[in-house]
Amino acid sequence: MADVEDEKALVDRLRAGDKTACAQCVELNAPGIYRLALRMLGDEAEAEDVVQETFLSAFKSIDGFEWRSSLKTWLYRIATNVALMRLRRKTPLSVSVELPEEEGAETVPTQLFDWCCLPEHDFATTEAKTELEAAIRALPEKLRAVFVLRELEGLSGEETAQALGVSIENVKTRLHRARLWLRERLAGYFTELAHTHEEG
Amino acid sequence: MEEHNCQHLLGELSAYIEGEASEALCAEIREHLAGCEDCQAVVDTLRKTIQLYHTLPQPDLTEAARQRLFRTLDLESFLK
């Protein structure tokens, strides 16, 4: 309850234009918003721009904040929209035309080699981490938004649904597809690695 | 096992892995996995995938970026 009361007091101060409250809000939320933007866009400078745009927009429209979600979730919602708009500016045709198909693409498993029991050090290499980062960046955008909010930022299903303006069921479905999509993509790399070990 | 059963259970695997599936569904999936090597491989590697991305290091907002942010928002006086 203390958190909710603290947040209400913070929002009241933000509405009153209290600069200390603005600084507090930025300190609390900028790191998470930056991580979200970086995972969505894959570019540090652009992620920084998203963080700036998010807070400029939030402070300007704080009077319109209606407590349908927490302040943090509201900020994530603004940030996600800003990031998605930037993505759409980059690839307008692919987003509008291919969206329905891309959500379901590559979620039916075709890679069926069981690479889960490779030696642990194979999963801890820089190469393996780079592969995983690249896979996350390559996730179809609608799956990526859910995945980053839910799995990397740790929002609940309900908070993720509020941040994206979709149903909780939709969050669950997209998250499941994102996991299958990542599994399929990683399978290519780890299967090849396993075969290399066998040959060696 | 019939292929359509693999497809049917595929959509339930996240719930199964997270322990959110009903007892009846868990029993159905366990029974299927016992006889379907392909689905067992999908479950094993799906679990591993989840474990791997949960251990990824989180990128940090650099101090220089934080300072730029505070300046842009006219909050420079709050920089420590």
Side-chain angles (χ1 to χ4, degrees):
Chain A
M1 282 305 283
D3 286 349
V4 176
E5 291 306 315
D6 288 351
E7 196 166 272
K8 280 187 176 159
L10 181 64
V11 170
D12 285 345
R13 287 164 56 216
L14 288 173
R15 284 182 169 146
D18 181 339
K19 289 274 186 187
T20 308
C22 292
Q24 201 179 333
C25 181
V26 173
E27 290 285 18
L28 275 173
N29 296 292
I33 291 171
Y34 174 75
R35 289 193 299 267
L36 164 70
L38 186 58
R39 298 288 195 202
M40 288 295 292
L41 296 163
D43 181 276
E44 290 177 6
E46 273 209 277
E48 225 184 280
D49 288 346
V50 169
V51 179
Q52 290 178 3
E53 227 176 291
T54 298
F55 284 109
L56 286 170
S57 169
F59 295 156
K60 198 172 157 187
S61 56
I62 188 69
D63 285 337
F65 174 59
E66 294 175 322
W67 290 105
R68 288 181 189 164
S69 66
S70 68
L71 178 64
K72 179 178 120 177
T73 303
W74 184 66
L75 291 169
Y76 272 116
R77 183 179 177 116
I78 296 172
T80 306
N81 285 335
V82 172
L84 286 175
M85 273 192 289
R86 281 174 176 264
L87 273 178
R88 282 165 193 173
R89 277 207 295 268
K90 279 183 183 175
T91 51
L93 283 177
S94 68
V95 169
S96 60
V97 175
E98 294 173 11
L99 201 58
E101 199 176 324
E102 73 166 2
E103 271 193 64
E106 290 190 53
T107 55
V108 176
T110 59
Q111 302 261 5
L112 299 169
F113 179 79
D114 198 340
W115 44 268
C116 81
C117 299
L118 278 167
E120 272 308 306
H121 62 79
D122 280 340
F123 297 114
T125 62
T126 304
E127 194 178 66
K129 287 191 170 78
T130 304
E131 196 67 32
L132 180 52
E133 293 278 6
I136 292 170
R137 277 199 302 277
L139 268 169
E141 67 158 51
K142 288 215 165 182
L143 302 185
R144 199 183 329 159
V146 166
F147 174 79
V148 173
L149 288 168
R150 186 79 180 86
E151 293 292 74
L152 301 183
E153 283 308 305
L155 269 65
S156 68
E158 188 181 358
E159 287 170 330
T160 305
Q162 287 168 345
L164 296 174
V166 299
S167 68
I168 294 177
E169 249 345 278
N170 193 298
V171 168
K172 283 184 182 173
T173 304
R174 287 188 196 182
L175 177 58
H176 181 54
R177 285 180 179 169
R179 287 169 167 172
L180 288 173
W181 195 98
L182 288 172
R183 189 212 73 88
E184 188 74 8
R185 166 96 182 218
L186 290 181
Y189 170 76
F190 286 117
T191 301
E192 196 180 323
L193 193 62
H195 291 332
T196 308
H197 288 330
E198 282 169 9
E199 285 163 14
Chain B
M1 280 287 163
E2 293 167 28
E3 193 176 321
H4 94 267
N5 211 6
C6 302
Q7 292 291 336
H8 161 67
L9 295 177
L10 181 67
E12 309 294 342
L13 291 184
S14 273
Y16 173 70
I17 286 172
E18 288 178 348
E20 287 180 356
S22 69
E23 194 44 55
L25 181 60
C26 284
E28 187 186 350
I29 292 175
R30 278 194 298 267
E31 190 187 341
H32 178 78
L33 293 180
C36 183
E37 210 173 294
D38 288 348
C39 281
Q40 185 63 61
V42 171
V43 169
D44 291 345
T45 52
L46 191 58
R47 273 207 180 96
K48 193 70 196 178
T49 299
I50 293 169
Q51 185 198 331
L52 287 177
Y53 65 64
H54 276 147
T55 56
L56 266 184
Q58 293 277 49
D60 284 327
L61 185 68
T62 64
E63 181 54 29
R66 178 177 164 272
Q67 291 191 12
R68 280 193 292 275
L69 176 62
F70 272 71
R71 277 197 290 274
T72 305
L73 299 172
D74 198 19
L75 297 169
E76 202 168 358
S77 58
F78 295 94
L79 281 170
K80 291 167 199 161

